Amino acid sequence: MKNVLIIGSTGQIGSELTMKLRSIYTNGNIVAGYIPGAEPKGELKESGPSALVDITNPQQIADAVEKYQIDTIYNLAALLSAVAEAKPQLAWKIGVGGLFNTLEVAREKRCAVFTPSSIGSFGPETPKDKTPQDTIRNPRTMYGVTKVTGEMLSDYYFRHFGVDTRSVRFPGLISYVTPPGGGTTDYAVDIYYAAAKGEKFLCPIAAGTFMDMMYMPDALRAAIEIMEADPSKFIHRNSFNIASMSFDPEIIYHKIKEYRPDFQMEYQVDPLRQSIAESWPNSLDDTCAREEWGWKPEYDLDAMTRDMLDKLSARFGKQQ
Ligand SMILES: NC(=O)c1ccc[n+]([C@@H]2O[C@H](COP(=O)([O-])OP(=O)(O)OC[C@H]3O[C@@H](n4cnc5c(N)ncnc54)[C@H](O)[C@@H]3O)[C@@H](O)[C@H]2O)c1
């Protein structure tokens, strides 16, 4: 049995991760933490308990942990990269202050904590291709600053207090359930929505800009498998590079055209997102995750494209 609190359960990852955890740990309390204005709805609301947990409020975290005898916390609260650049103070308060609150509760109540990091923890001085696990992290964005700080803070709590902190650096995540929350890689989700609706896509990222991406089912598996892994082989903890595919807008566009030959794309580059994208790696080396806990992706670009177009076309009634 496992009792899990998901902080930020209604976002792109949380809405799917919560349901997945409920399907696996059927006897436990899998608690959907939310903030006002982002309450769980539909299946997410009906299928299990939920609790008001603003990560900036330590008492709310402690109350939920106490009430549901939580042993594992998935901390998904964050402002994503483009939003964080517009609200850097709030991004720090949630990303670092909120993580500190979570780790303090975890220290007192002996919970394990998963807090995702990101390809955004790297910067322009980082080796761009096959970025190694241990390398320069010099992000230029507030998002990246919160992620690097979060990695170090989580490792500190493990070393000094024995809190079982574990994490992965997610690439851009592609999914069809909940829209992304304002990141630099959102275009790779939006492009499928446009194709499924039969609309032309205006691409905010320039041709030739490569970033690592991953299909949501692989990302959910990574988040669950790392928390289930035998830690005796861990050399790293916060945070593991994981990877499955890397592409630029031209590659994903042409892949979609294989299945939707009429699909059209035009570039309308967004300077903020483009400058963030250019400061991030082209692709990550995930050897350490493979060796230390057996990470292995299942979806490549082709398999993901077929599934995304099938699911979204069914939703928008434009099956081909
Ligand atoms: N989606 C991606 O492509 C991606 C890639 C790399 C890393 N990540 C990381 O994964 C985590 C989850 O990302 P996501 O895509 O689901 O983000 P999202 O923006 O879709 O969801 C964030 C969630 O946090 C909640 N939240 C905001 N402020 C909060 C607060 N004060 N207290 C509690 N909850 C609060 C929101 O209501 C929302 O449910 C973040 O740490 C993000 O940086 C995501």
Side-chain angles (χ1 to χ4, degrees):
M1 196 175 99
K2 233 178 162 51
N3 294 326
V4 184
L5 170 64
I6 301 100
I7 302 178
S9 71
T10 59
Q12 190 196 8
I13 301 175
S15 56
E16 293 195 53
L17 181 65
T18 306
M19 297 306 294
K20 180 99 184 157
L21 291 168
R22 283 180 180 159
S23 75
I24 297 172
Y25 307 119
T26 47
N27 294 324
N29 292 314
I30 309 298
V31 184
Y34 66 91
I35 52 171
E39 292 83 1
K41 296 192 183 82
E43 214 187 1
L44 188 59
K45 183 180 176 188
E46 310 305 332
S47 59
S50 47
L52 180 65
V53 180
D54 184 328
I55 199 164
T56 63
N57 183 332
Q59 195 57 50
Q60 287 181 357
I61 306 171
D63 288 349
V65 166
E66 187 71 33
K67 179 172 177 190
Y68 294 102
Q69 296 297 295
I70 296 298
D71 50 68
T72 304
I73 300 173
Y74 279 88
N75 164 23
L76 305 178
L79 298 189
L80 298 197
S81 54
V83 180
E85 279 317 280
K87 300 177 186 172
Q89 296 84 356
L90 184 60
W92 176 269
K93 196 174 169 192
I94 294 171
V96 179
L99 172 61
F100 178 79
N101 295 338
T102 306
L103 291 169
E104 272 296 288
V105 172
R107 179 177 67 80
E108 281 171 13
K109 311 274 187 194
R110 311 307 303 163
C111 302
V113 181
F114 174 87
T115 307
S117 186
S118 160
I119 52 173
S121 61
F122 298 114
E125 291 87 11
T126 305
K128 276 210 165 308
D129 295 305
K130 287 275 160 205
T131 301
Q133 171 69 37
D134 301 308
T135 186
I136 300 164
R137 290 169 298 173
N138 242 345
R140 294 292 191 273
T141 60
M142 178 51 94
Y143 182 66
V145 170
T146 66
K147 290 302 179 192
V148 173
T149 310
E151 291 185 7
M152 294 197 294
L153 196 58
S154 297
D155 272 341
Y156 182 90
Y157 267 71
F158 170 67
R159 289 200 200 100
H160 290 263
F161 299 123
V163 178
D164 186 1
T165 55
R166 307 179 186 193
S167 167
V168 296
R169 293 178 182 135
F170 280 134
L173 299 182
I174 295 163
S175 66
Y176 57 85
V177 175
T178 303
T184 303
T185 53
D186 291 10
Y187 92 89
V189 177
D190 299 339
I191 193 171
Y192 287 111
Y193 276 75
K197 289 177 178 170
E199 293 170 357
K200 182 194 234 181
F201 181 60
L202 293 178
C203 187
I205 298 292
T209 313
F210 281 77
M211 286 183 279
D212 252 320
M213 304 278 180
M214 183 175 288
Y215 199 30
M216 188 61 87
D218 275 337
L220 300 181
R221 235 176 7 83
I224 293 167
E225 285 177 10
I226 193 176
M227 296 312 282
E228 291 280 0
D230 169 4
S232 65
K233 278 200 198 156
F234 282 180
I235 297 166
H236 301 86
R237 275 182 172 263
N238 301 282
S239 175
F240 283 95
N241 285 0
I242 55 169
S244 63
M245 61 185 97
S246 166
F247 54 75
D248 84 324
E250 287 295 306
I251 293 175
I252 187 171
Y253 169 59
H254 286 288
K255 178 52 74 181
I256 292 172
K257 267 180 99 68
E258 285 178 25
Y259 299 97
R260 297 288 186 278
D262 295 337
F263 180 51
Q264 295 297 316
M265 179 172 89
E266 212 176 84
Y267 287 96
Q268 199 174 83
V269 173
D270 170 45
L272 171 63
R273 283 183 165 79
Q274 182 61 29
S275 72
I276 295 176
E278 283 173 14
S279 75
W280 289 358
N282 296 336
S283 65
L284 300 192
D285 178 347
D286 61 0
T287 308
C288 292
R290 289 172 185 261
E291 289 179 357
E292 292 173 42
W293 51 278
W295 158 248
K296 195 168 183 292
E298 286 174 0
Y299 284 86
D300 61 11
L301 177 60
D302 189 60
M304 176 177 81
T305 298
R306 279 188 277 117
D307 203 46
M308 282 294 286
L309 290 176
D310 281 356
K311 298 291 189 328
L312 289 173
S313 299
R315 187 185 308 167
F316 298 120
K318 288 198 187 286
Q319 244 160 341
Q320 292 187 1

